[in-house]
Amino acid sequence: MMLCVSLAFTFHLSPFTLRAQYHVVHLEKPLNTPGSETGALRLGDTVLVFSSMPPTVKTNSQFDVGGGVMQVYQSRIAKNGRVAKPKPDRWGLNSKRDHTGNIAVDPWTKDLYFTRGDVETLNCEIYFAKKKKRRGWEKPVKLKGPVNMKGYTSTHPAVGRLSDSTVILYFVSNRPDGLGGADIWYTLIKGGKSTECVNLGPMVNSDADEYTPFYDQRNGVLYFSSDREGGKGGQDIYCAVGQRNSWQKAEAVCGCLNSEQNDLYFNISDYDSATGRPLGGFLSSNRSDSYFLTDTSCCNDLYRWRVDSSFVEEVAMAMDTIENIDTIQQRVRRFMFPLFLYFHNDDPDPQSREVTTETSYSSCLRRYASLREEYIAKQQNADDSSMTALFFDTCVVGNYNRIEELLDYVESLLDAGNRITITIAGYASPVYKTDYNLNLSQRRIVSFINMIRAWRGGVFEDALDDGRLNIAQKPHGAVEPTTESQSKDPVYGLPAVLARRIEILGCEIK
């Protein structure tokens, strides 16, 4: 659940539902050909990757989309912005036998997810390539787990991250139990394997086809294409605010980005550094100025889109003059529940069997953050050490920063006369007995309540006492680890580290 779902008024958070002017520019040859080019993605500032399938001409002179093999190409981007002639990738992603394409990159680790498809059946499977420490990627492997289902297609991966750093992979599949045609699903990646696959539901999917998802992690918005009723024609680009299977209803993006033909593979490559507002990116389309041999509707080309600079200035001025709009746009969209807060082993109050504590979570956080180097040193290999460092920097400290923003916003809502319920779940690692773990998870929730009560000199104290701010508590005890610990000491292993937490499940605003 998101805060914006509970607000009494409607404010669409995607900038592409605003009345902006977006310029869509057809990329020139040699990036585009009379064949089909799709899925342009910028890796850093120096490399552009995309997929291309060359045209073939039969005796009837018609383009045969099944006549070639799609491969991944890469182009160097010069400092002046010019893009060099593309070449087949040098990283070992391509297959001589199968189609290769639909690349998605994990922005944290730079690992790649992509698709390989049978040239006869066109059924696809999702592959994974781990980033090397220096240049390039390791040999691709088919992603393990239920994401690849025999007899059905799994394609168009898109990478996101949950607040506990878990990789969430959105993808497209025509597997059973969908809403019709191809739907968007998600799976979590744990221990290098996919977990249960979950349909995103009717707020995103329809009885038509949904394709090419892209998740804007900064703003919590999913972009995808669909040929559902009500569009401009063919596949149109839509967006939905949310995460996992909790979404606001999808809506079409600004009409100037969609055409009467197919518009697919929308992504964002450039953001405003101050506000996080999207400024530009890529899409693929077979609109009228795309290159082709004889059939004007056959072939997708690469296009670049960008925001009119005058609109960016107008929005900035408007945000300065409209009360609370900046707060709503910049803060609400970040509160993607659940929010996770983490603890050192047996904290607070080690060896206690009490269900309450006088310790504040802020004290627990300071103790935990001070142990960062110790945790890193306890890992058995470099990969786990790197992930542990990332966990401390992004999840332990980073998530606390998000809580600070949330509580500041809750204060403003209380000042406006709202009543609020915050729901918190507590967990422990399975080191001790069940009853001990249950009491420990309860103490962890109470430590967060103590922090709220003391926040900013007690700004929430009256609201807690008179019921305007209510904390719903759900202690759960121990969490069974999904993988075995690779640490020298299980207390310091990533499975236990991720289990010792509380989750702020959501805020209900009345």
Side-chain angles (χ1 to χ4, degrees):
M1 177 182 178
M2 296 181 62
L3 276 172
C4 50
V5 176
S6 302
L7 292 173
F9 54 90
T10 300
F11 185 83
H12 298 299
L13 300 177
S14 168
F16 300 100
T17 62
L18 302 174
R19 291 178 297 174
Q21 181 61 45
Y22 299 91
H23 298 291
V24 180
V25 179
H26 184 217
L27 299 186
E28 297 294 331
K29 297 178 180 178
L31 290 175
N32 284 316
T33 73
S36 184
E37 282 72 42
T38 57
L41 178 70
R42 200 176 69 193
L43 298 181
D45 295 325
T46 60
V47 178
L48 182 73
V49 297
F50 62 93
S51 300
S52 180
M53 185 160 62
T56 58
V57 181
K58 289 188 174 181
T59 55
N60 62 2
S61 299
Q62 293 296 306
F63 176 78
D64 177 18
V65 75
V69 175
M70 177 176 285
Q71 291 193 320
V72 175
Y73 285 74
Q74 63 185 77
S75 293
R76 299 293 298 178
I77 304 174
K79 290 184 178 179
N80 62 5
R82 298 193 64 177
V83 182
K85 181 179 179 180
K87 299 178 180 180
D89 94 85
R90 302 174 181 176
W91 307 315
L93 304 182
N94 287 323
S95 167
K96 295 181 180 180
R97 181 184 61 186
D98 298 324
H99 295 305
T100 306
N102 308 321
I103 287 183
V105 61
D106 184 333
W108 285 14
T109 63
K110 307 305 178 185
D111 297 334
L112 297 182
Y113 296 83
F114 63 96
T115 296
R116 282 185 180 170
D118 186 277
V119 295
E120 298 293 335
T121 66
L122 299 184
N123 275 350
C124 299
E125 294 178 308
I126 295 174
Y127 278 69
F128 169 77
K130 185 176 179 61
K131 182 71 173 69
K132 293 181 179 179
K133 290 184 178 180
R134 295 186 177 180
R135 293 185 178 182
W137 283 263
E138 296 179 1
K139 183 178 180 180
V141 294
K142 186 164 63 174
L143 189 58
K144 298 179 181 179
V147 67
N148 292 314
M149 189 174 187
K150 187 174 182 181
Y152 298 93
T153 278
S154 295
T155 186
H156 300 159
V159 184
R161 287 276 182 164
L162 303 182
S163 58
D164 66 348
S165 83
T166 300
V167 173
I168 179 170
L169 193 71
Y170 299 100
F171 67 99
V172 171
S173 180
N174 60 351
R175 64 187 59 208
D177 300 323
L179 275 68
D183 280 353
I184 302 175
W185 301 67
Y186 82 83
T187 183
L188 304 183
I189 307 301
K190 297 184 177 181
K193 299 179 181 179
S194 63
T195 60
E196 177 188 8
C197 299
V198 181
N199 191 286
L200 267 58
M203 300 298 277
V204 172
N205 290 313
S206 69
D207 57 2
D209 289 322
E210 282 72 42
Y211 291 125
T212 62
F214 169 81
Y215 192 68
D216 174 9
Q217 185 78 38
R218 296 191 185 190
N219 297 296
V221 182
L222 179 77
Y223 296 89
F224 62 96
S225 293
S226 178
D227 58 359
R228 63 188 62 184
E229 292 185 3
K232 294 184 69 173
Q235 290 278 340
D236 285 333
I237 304 165
Y238 290 78
C239 64
V241 177
Q243 189 183 67
R244 300 183 76 160
N245 56 345
S246 179
W247 304 94
Q248 292 187 30
K249 185 174 178 58
E251 54 188 304
V253 300
C254 173
C256 52
L257 285 173
N258 282 318
S259 71
E260 295 180 355
Q261 286 76 40
N262 291 322
D263 300 293
L264 300 145
Y265 292 95
F266 176 92
N267 67 44
I268 302 168
S269 60
D270 298 298
Y271 293 85
D272 184 284
S273 58
T275 65
R277 187 180 299 114
L279 297 180
F282 299 93
L283 59 87
S284 297
S285 179
N286 64 338
R287 55 188 67 187
S288 58
D289 58 346
S290 62
Y291 300 133
F292 56 90
L293 292 181
T294 57
D295 182 356
T296 58
S297 64
C298 76
C299 315
N300 289 311
D301 273 2
L302 305 178
Y303 290 77
R304 183 167 191 135
W305 66 267
R306 61 181 176 84
V307 179
D308 188 300
S309 58
S310 63
F311 171 74
V312 176
E313 295 172 1
E314 291 171 6
V315 169
M317 293 176 62
M319 292 306 177
D320 289 337
T321 58
I322 301 176
E323 183 180 3
N324 291 330
I325 291 297
D326 184 64
T327 300
I328 293 169
Q329 183 175 10
Q330 298 305 320
R331 291 185 178 179
V332 172
R333 66 187 178 187
R334 296 183 186 181
F335 305 139
M336 306 296 295
F337 298 114
L339 293 174
F340 294 74
L341 296 175
Y342 294 93
F343 295 78
H344 179 50
N345 185 55
D346 206 16
D347 202 21
D349 303 345
Q351 301 182 19
S352 171
R353 294 186 177 274
E354 298 295 329
V355 296
T356 189
T357 179
E358 295 182 0
T359 303
S360 168
Y361 176 72
S362 57
S363 298
C364 297
L365 172 69
R366 286 193 294 270
R367 285 195 292 271
Y368 200 16
S370 70
L371 297 172
R372 178 182 185 274
E373 298 306 318
E374 182 176 340
Y375 269 79
I376 294 172
K378 292 283 188 177
Q379 306 307 312
Q380 277 194 334
N381 56 63
D383 285 345
D384 282 351
S385 294
S386 177
M387 285 299 297
T388 301
L390 187 66
F391 167 77
F392 269 88
D393 296 341
T394 305
C395 300
V396 176
V397 177
N399 286 1
Y400 181 80
N401 293 337
R402 296 174 67 202
I403 291 295
E404 287 187 319
E405 294 183 25
L406 172 62
L407 294 182
D408 284 344
Y409 190 66
V410 167
E411 181 183 356
S412 68
L413 292 174
L414 288 170
D415 289 343
N418 297 284
R419 300 177 69 88
I420 300 173
T421 297
I422 300 176
T423 303
I424 306 177
Y427 299 90
S429 58
V431 177
Y432 300 106
K433 295 181 179 180
T434 300
D435 58 343
Y436 186 94
N437 288 325
L438 188 62
N439 293 352
L440 175 58
S441 64
Q442 177 71 64
R443 290 201 306 277
R444 287 174 172 166
I445 295 174
V446 173
S447 75
F448 183 75
I449 297 174
N450 293 342
M451 185 184 76
I452 294 178
R453 184 169 289 277
W455 190 256
R456 304 281 194 261
V459 297
F460 294 125
E461 196 160 6
D462 288 344
L464 285 166
D465 290 340
D466 63 25
R468 288 180 293 123
L469 177 57
N470 178 54
I471 309 297
Q473 305 179 42
K474 295 186 176 182
H476 290 287
V479 176
E480 291 299 327
T482 57
T483 59
E484 294 184 4
S485 174
Q486 299 298 316
S487 171
K488 302 170 187 176
D489 184 338
V491 166
Y492 294 85
L494 289 175
V497 161
L498 295 175
R500 300 192 298 259
R501 69 184 191 268
I502 56 173
E503 298 180 6
I504 291 79
L505 300 177
C507 290
E508 182 182 358
I509 304 170
K510 298 180 180 178

